Amino acid sequence: MPKIILQGTIIVSDEQLAIVKEALILHKTLTLQESGCITFEVTQERDDRNKYNVYEEFTDQQAFDAHQLRVKNSHWGKVTVNLPRNYRISNGE
């Protein structure tokens, strides 16, 4: 099975920056501990503090789906549910 790659951006309003930054710490830790997580990077854009670049790799669709399910029910998922996202998902080929 091919690995799954997600890449793109999240836009965070000024009002939500502090809570998103705080929630991101635990979110990164938990994601990197997930079975099937190869790489997980969420970084704030240097020239635009409201834009976060996202890059994720998972070993396969099953690992990616498990991650998405965990996130949906997590603190991170709740504080970011309404944030604009622009993601592209591919199978690494």
Side-chain angles (χ1 to χ4, degrees):
M1 297 181 92
K3 68 181 174 181
I4 301 298
I5 298 172
L6 178 147
Q7 53 191 355
T9 59
I10 301 173
I11 305 300
V12 182
S13 67
D14 288 334
E15 298 77 29
Q16 290 185 285
L17 273 174
I19 194 165
V20 167
K21 281 185 178 183
E22 182 180 325
L24 183 56
I25 295 167
L26 180 59
H27 179 53
K28 283 182 178 181
T29 299
L30 293 175
T31 300
L32 289 168
Q33 292 173 354
E34 290 176 14
S35 176
C37 178
I38 300 169
T39 302
F40 184 80
E41 299 172 5
V42 180
T43 56
Q44 193 173 25
E45 184 79 23
R46 175 178 279 165
D47 298 327
D48 182 353
R49 70 186 194 137
N50 300 98
K51 183 178 181 180
Y52 282 77
N53 296 302
V54 180
Y55 183 83
E56 307 174 5
E57 288 185 20
F58 290 86
T59 54
D60 55 30
Q61 188 68 51
Q62 183 178 0
F64 180 74
D65 292 346
H67 168 70
Q68 293 298 310
L69 183 60
R70 183 194 66 78
V71 169
K72 184 177 182 179
N73 298 306
S74 72
H75 177 64
W76 171 260
K78 291 179 176 109
V79 300
T80 65
V81 68
N82 293 318
L83 297 183
R85 291 170 164 83
N86 181 16
Y87 289 158
R88 182 176 67 244
I89 300 171
S90 66
N91 64 5
E93 293 178 0

